[in-house]
Amino acid sequence: MMRRIRRLAPLLLALATAGPAAAQDPAPVPAPTYTPIPLWPDGAPGSAARRSEPEIGRDYWLRNIHDPSLTAFPAAPAHRNGAAIVVIPGGGHKLLVWTNEGTKVATALNRLGLTAFVLKYRLANEAGSKYSVAGDAADDARRAIRWVRAHAAEYGIDPHRVGAMGFSAGGELVSLIADNPEPAGRPSHDAIDRESARPDFQMLVFPGPRGIPATAIATAPPAFLVAGSRDACCAAPSVALYEQLRKAGVSAELHMFADSDHAFNLDESDRISILHWPDRLNDWLADGGWLSAKAVPGVATTKPN
């Protein structure tokens, strides 16, 4: 029985809320090809010497990333609601948990009408790396938000409805870009860099401690946080950030699961409560209006029944 529940768990996120009905003649969006979209066409700053090195992937993970990119998972035109989420996998900044914290999450979000983009960012803790978390990796996350806003019309996205969702180390990057100011003096490379890098809503799944306590909490976007109560790494940062948000009057929701540790993802636990955490996220997204179809200028969107 438990095995069956685990197999079904990735569907929970999509099934809790019914999708909107199709609109007449929705504008087309690019078909999902799962081809990486380079964030910097001329290469990420500081990565020129290693840009030609191939990425290394095994089973569920990737590493050796020197050309940061996004992989687009467009929502079907018949169901899209105009909102988008940049998904940032974890992996301790040593690798990326590409499937369980990236592509599987993106396809589950698609079933809610959300367009998803999975981020490959530079890894500061990988052997031989000269990158930094607060500098290079956070720059990749900010550039990802900006890129999605700059290309919003191509995907039927409202540029004011772009969220960020991070797991573990990816949650650290979400907090660094959502709850903290961008470091002064960061170079601007093109028109994309004129877009805002602050997400409109944030979801942190067992986030690590970097960026917490936050230093720009008053301007932080609405937040959803989830972690295990026995997570030695990430229980305390989750509670600390929630308290900061709450005291600052920022809309925030926290779920701490009893007797639970790190990295339960969508379907990696024997506890019934954790298997249903995507339902709580679904409820939060619906309450915040992020699943409701909104008119996007120049783009046909779907409308609820």
Side-chain angles (χ1 to χ4, degrees):
M1 180 65 179
M2 289 302 301
R3 291 179 181 175
R4 182 182 179 189
I5 292 173
R6 283 196 294 271
R7 288 196 300 269
L8 294 176
L11 299 177
L12 295 174
L13 185 62
L15 295 178
T17 298
Q24 293 296 317
D25 298 320
V29 296
T33 60
Y34 312 125
T35 300
I37 302 165
L39 289 178
W40 282 277
D42 296 325
S47 297
R50 303 189 66 180
R51 188 184 181 197
S52 62
E53 293 182 20
E55 296 172 357
I56 298 172
R58 298 288 188 276
D59 190 18
Y60 65 90
W61 56 263
L62 290 172
R63 63 176 179 84
N64 209 50
I65 296 159
H66 305 291
D67 192 12
S69 65
L70 287 171
T71 300
F73 291 75
H79 300 290
R80 69 172 181 234
N81 54 40
I85 295 176
V86 174
V87 179
I88 308 180
H93 302 287
K94 297 178 181 179
L95 52 81
L96 297 184
V97 182
W98 183 246
T99 55
N100 292 347
E101 297 179 1
T103 58
K104 290 183 179 179
V105 177
T107 54
L109 294 172
N110 280 167
R111 293 193 291 271
L112 295 177
L114 296 158
T115 290
F117 299 84
V118 185
L119 174 63
K120 293 179 184 175
Y121 56 91
R122 288 169 286 178
L123 299 167
N125 293 340
E126 187 176 13
S129 175
K130 296 182 179 180
Y131 302 129
S132 68
V133 175
D136 303 296
D139 280 350
D140 294 344
R142 292 189 185 94
R143 178 74 176 188
I145 298 292
R146 288 178 165 127
W147 191 96
V148 171
R149 287 202 168 107
H151 294 82
E154 300 169 27
Y155 291 89
I157 296 166
D158 183 339
H160 303 294
R161 302 179 72 211
V162 178
M165 181 178 188
F167 293 74
S168 192
E172 291 183 324
L173 295 181
V174 172
S175 189
L176 283 169
I177 69 173
D179 310 314
N180 292 273
E182 185 168 3
R186 306 306 286 175
S188 178
H189 300 88
D190 52 26
I192 291 175
D193 280 337
R194 292 196 288 270
E195 299 284 347
S196 172
R198 183 69 58 86
D200 297 301
F201 54 104
Q202 57 177 321
M203 294 146 288
L204 300 95
V205 187
F206 38 83
R210 288 182 178 88
I212 302 170
T215 57
I217 203 70
T219 56
F224 175 92
L225 300 100
V226 59
S229 63
R230 294 190 177 180
D231 188 337
C233 157
C234 304
S238 299
V239 174
L241 180 59
Y242 171 77
E243 276 297 290
Q244 276 196 281
L245 293 162
R246 185 185 66 82
K247 290 177 180 177
V250 177
S251 177
E253 185 168 313
L254 170 66
H255 296 272
M256 296 295 295
F257 288 100
D259 304 317
S260 300
D261 207 333
H262 192 67
F264 40 77
N265 298 326
L266 289 184
D267 59 349
E268 297 179 2
S269 176
D270 290 328
R271 295 185 64 81
I272 297 298
S273 59
I274 289 186
L275 291 176
H276 286 273
W277 81 261
D279 293 343
R280 307 290 73 77
L281 173 60
N282 193 7
D283 294 342
W284 180 82
L285 288 166
D287 284 343
W290 306 111
L291 301 182
S292 301
K294 303 289 184 181
V296 181
V299 177
T301 55
T302 58
K303 297 179 181 179
N305 290 327

